[in-house]
Amino acid sequence: MVGRPPPAVAHRTDMDSVYTPDHPASAQILFDCVAGSRAYGTSHADSDEDIRGIFVLPAAAYLDLAPPPNQIADARNNVVYYSLRRTIELLTAANPSLLELLYMPADCVRRSSPEMQPLLQQRALFVSRRCADTHVGYAFSQIRKARGQNKWINQPKSAQPPRREDHCQVIRRDRLVGGAAPCRPQSLAASGLDLARHHAARLEHARDIYRLYDYGDAARGVFRGDALAVESIAADDEAARFAGLLLFNEHGWKQAVADHQNYWTWRRERNEARWRQQEVGELDFDAKNLMHTIRLLLSGKAILERGEPLVRVAGESLQLLRDIRTGRYRYDEILAMADALVADCENLKQRCDLPAETDPAAANALLFRLTQDWEARNR
């Protein structure tokens, strides 16, 4: 999303309007539908329900120094509404997700206002050869996701957040000079030092390296609250209490914390049924992502063959998608299918009579017309 993040609004899908707490304008919903697997025909008992829609605002709302958001969504993005302006922008860029909204099966459409009709009547404006390219690009992004999520499956993270101490290395005083391996750091655990019994002073001209001083039971510890505490050490204590050097990889610790938070957010929000096959070791990839790879490529091929995306899948194609999702095909077999579909698309592009891309002037004129017509009817 461009601009400010979506406001945290409690969404009611039976409303005619949506409101944002940081903008006074009322946004009227033009269109909403049940999207995702329920629209494609690939849903099952555990499938989520995805709601997608379009809302419109008066043109004056975009003159505000704090413009309204491009989209409004719930916390898990199961419900997402795009502004009309953002919708036209993404359609002009051949976005597959927005293009399919204009070709939704009738049984998935929950609401379509009269103001939506001119957009639906001119939907062919946004069908171009570029759409086939973006479908291919989106498809292969699903392939990357299919293996990318696998590292979270095979490398679960502890419920306890990462500790700073696990990102500390120490060079003890007796290892700074002499010995078989002088100045070689060792883990904090291997060093035998307890940071709770020490104070730290910054080592001049060195980043993330600190001198350690042993104050025993009188110490306040190196880590206090959310920070590493840097002390001023008395001159008399410099030699007597010096215990060695502390190397604290603060960047690595912060990255580990972020990874931990992302992992547990994913664990809380994921669809458990979707990941069951991976967790028991039946698959080494996310079958749903690869199902969407093939679905997107089938849709891109349909655009080149008949001038519109494939939303509701049926027949042999639907069975193929279901078989991929249930793990009937190996990873390399699915990639071979994807390569064959891409080759089909490349051949079809040479023969189809679609425009290379959407005419931006025509798309802009349509946006103006839709907004003006809506304003005229809603004064």
Side-chain angles (χ1 to χ4, degrees), residues 224-293:
R224 302 174 202 167
D226 294 330
L228 184 151
V230 176
E231 300 280 353
S232 177
I233 305 300
D236 293 343
D237 292 342
E238 281 279 357
R241 296 187 180 277
F242 179 66
L245 297 178
L246 169 68
L247 292 73
F248 174 42
N249 183 0
E250 185 173 13
H251 175 78
W253 169 71
K254 288 181 177 178
Q255 184 61 56
V257 169
D259 291 344
H260 180 271
Q261 291 173 343
N262 289 336
Y263 171 82
W264 282 102
T265 297
W266 168 73
R267 281 295 300 266
R268 286 192 302 272
E269 296 182 355
R270 70 180 185 173
N271 184 323
E272 289 296 329
R274 174 177 172 182
W275 301 100
R276 200 170 293 138
Q277 286 178 297
Q278 287 183 267
E279 289 187 327
V280 299
E282 293 176 5
L283 295 177
D284 64 351
F285 57 87
D286 177 3
K288 182 176 178 181
N289 280 122
L290 290 187
M291 177 188 73
H292 283 304
T293 294

Side-chain angles (χ1 to χ4, degrees), residues 137-154:
Y138 273 53
F140 279 88
S141 73
Q142 295 294 326
I143 291 177
R144 290 191 293 272
K145 288 181 182 179
R147 279 285 169 89
Q149 293 281 22
N150 188 49
K151 63 184 180 182
W152 280 352
I153 289 292
N154 291 333

Side-chain angles (χ1 to χ4, degrees), residues 17 27 46 84 115 120 148 158 178 191 198 201 217 243 247 249 254 266 276 301 327 338 343:
S17 299
D46 295 317
L84 177 61
E115 291 83 3
L120 295 176
S158 166
S191 75
H198 290 74
D217 293 338
L247 292 73
N249 183 0
K254 288 181 177 178
W266 168 73
R276 200 170 293 138
K301 183 178 178 181

Side-chain angles (χ1 to χ4, degrees), residues 90-97 99 126 128-141 296-297 299-300 303 346 349 356:
L90 291 175
L91 285 169
T92 304
N95 180 285
S97 299
L99 183 62
F126 302 102
S128 65
R129 293 198 299 274
R130 184 182 177 188
C131 291
D133 293 334
T134 55
H135 275 69
V136 170
Y138 273 53
F140 279 88
S141 73
L296 282 160
L297 292 173
S299 185
I303 288 170
E346 288 301 317
K349 278 171 61 177

Side-chain angles (χ1 to χ4, degrees), residues 27-234:
Q28 181 177 327
I29 294 174
L30 297 183
F31 176 83
D32 70 5
C33 63
V34 178
S37 62
R38 299 182 190 277
Y40 308 141
T42 58
S43 62
H44 52 84
D46 295 317
S47 294
D48 295 327
E49 183 175 74
D50 297 316
I51 304 298
R52 297 293 181 265
I54 301 169
F55 67 88
V56 63
L57 282 164
Y62 294 95
L63 300 177
D64 197 308
L65 290 177
N70 286 321
Q71 70 181 50
I72 298 172
D74 66 358
R76 295 185 61 182
N77 282 327
N78 286 339
V79 179
V80 181
Y81 286 87
Y82 300 89
S83 71
L84 177 61
R85 183 183 184 281
R86 181 61 170 161
T87 298
I88 299 296
E89 181 181 25
L90 291 175
L91 285 169
T92 304
N95 180 285
S97 299
L98 270 293
L99 183 62
E100 72 181 28
L101 290 188
L102 304 186
Y103 290 87
M104 275 290 154
D107 60 355
C108 292
V109 177
R110 297 160 20 118
R111 168 180 12 202
S112 184
S113 68
E115 291 83 3
M116 183 70 182
Q117 294 313 302
L119 178 56
L120 295 176
Q121 290 166 0
Q122 296 192 48
R123 61 190 182 180
L125 169 66
F126 302 102
V127 179
S128 65
R129 293 198 299 274
R130 184 182 177 188
C131 291
D133 293 334
T134 55
H135 275 69
V136 170
Y138 273 53
F140 279 88
S141 73
Q142 295 294 326
I143 291 177
R144 290 191 293 272
K145 288 181 182 179
R147 279 285 169 89
Q149 293 281 22
N150 188 49
K151 63 184 180 182
W152 280 352
I153 289 292
N154 291 333
Q155 300 178 27
K157 297 188 182 298
S158 166
Q160 298 300 316
R163 302 185 318 139
R164 293 175 179 83
E165 289 81 358
D166 295 332
H167 294 266
C168 289
Q169 297 279 315
V170 169
I171 307 176
R172 292 177 59 105
R173 176 175 181 165
D174 57 6
R175 296 170 66 93
L176 285 171
V177 292
C183 299
R184 181 164 295 171
Q186 58 186 157
S187 68
L188 179 61
S191 75
L193 297 182
D194 181 359
L195 295 186
R197 298 174 61 84
H198 290 74
H199 288 175
R202 194 177 302 279
L203 183 66
E204 295 81 354
H205 312 298
R207 182 177 179 179
D208 296 336
I209 303 179
Y210 306 85
R211 293 191 296 270
L212 285 176
Y213 297 88
D214 188 345
Y215 279 83
D217 293 338
R220 295 187 295 277
V222 171
F223 293 115
R224 302 174 202 167
D226 294 330
L228 184 151
V230 176
E231 300 280 353
S232 177
I233 305 300

